[in-house]
Amino acid sequence: MKRLMIAVLCASLAACASSGRLGSDQRLALYRAHAGAPQSDMPFQGNLNGWNELGDSALAVWTRPGQAFLLELTGPCPDLPYAQAIGLTSRVGRVSARLDKVLVRGPGPGPQMPCYIGSIRPLDVKALRTSEQQLRHAQAQARED
């Protein structure tokens, strides 16, 4: 099933094969396909191991190398695709959906733009990495053809 989803995702978009990169919509679809059920909160000890923007209304955050979450925001966060850094608000070591925010730091010295978290979903990091590798392989084959 996941193999079919990857093939459809890449085949349905000519830009995937020609540019060698997935767009934000395609990356978000891939991350959603590997996300679990929404949960009310996630653990957070003040530091992120990494993050990926997935357009202007979602991002993936790694709290540890093997633990990641898909955060979908309540609305567009215009500075997210251009952010140099992000932060998360939290309470007692937990980030909560509908209460906490992603703080986006853009290129300028201006204030941080707060973006409210609408949902939190755990990611299957191993399956996500496998799918990304399969997509890269499919893209390489499409470029060779």
Side-chain angles (χ1 to χ4, degrees):
M1 178 66 176
K2 286 184 182 177
R3 211 174 262 203
L4 175 63
M5 185 269 314
I6 291 167
V8 169
L9 180 65
C10 200
S12 66
L13 302 158
C16 178
S18 63
S19 73
R21 291 197 63 189
L22 292 175
S24 295
D25 291 342
Q26 295 85 16
R27 287 184 297 127
L28 179 55
L30 181 63
Y31 278 70
R32 282 179 175 158
H34 295 290
Q39 53 190 50
S40 61
D41 59 16
M42 65 179 231
F44 182 62
Q45 300 304 317
N47 292 316
L48 291 175
N49 194 267
W51 63 280
N52 290 341
E53 60 86 12
L54 301 168
D56 67 357
S57 60
L59 68 155
V61 295
W62 274 257
T63 54
R64 296 191 320 235
Q67 183 179 45
F69 296 88
L70 174 63
L71 306 181
E72 297 206 45
L73 307 174
T74 58
C77 189
D79 293 335
L80 186 57
Y82 313 103
Q84 294 178 339
I86 64 159
L88 299 175
T89 62
S90 63
R91 291 165 182 75
V92 193
R94 309 291 296 174
V95 172
S96 299
R98 296 174 302 282
L99 293 176
D100 285 306
K101 309 174 268 243
V102 175
L103 303 172
V104 176
R105 292 191 182 153
Q112 297 175 346
M113 176 66 146
C115 304
Y116 285 89
I117 300 168
S119 69
I120 299 171
R121 297 170 61 192
L123 288 167
D124 182 341
V125 175
K126 288 182 182 179
L128 178 63
R129 294 296 177 229
T130 299
S131 292
E132 288 174 333
Q133 289 174 348
Q134 290 172 346
L135 274 172
R136 283 192 293 277
H137 181 72
Q139 289 172 337
Q141 283 186 324
R143 283 191 299 272
E144 290 174 5
D145 293 343

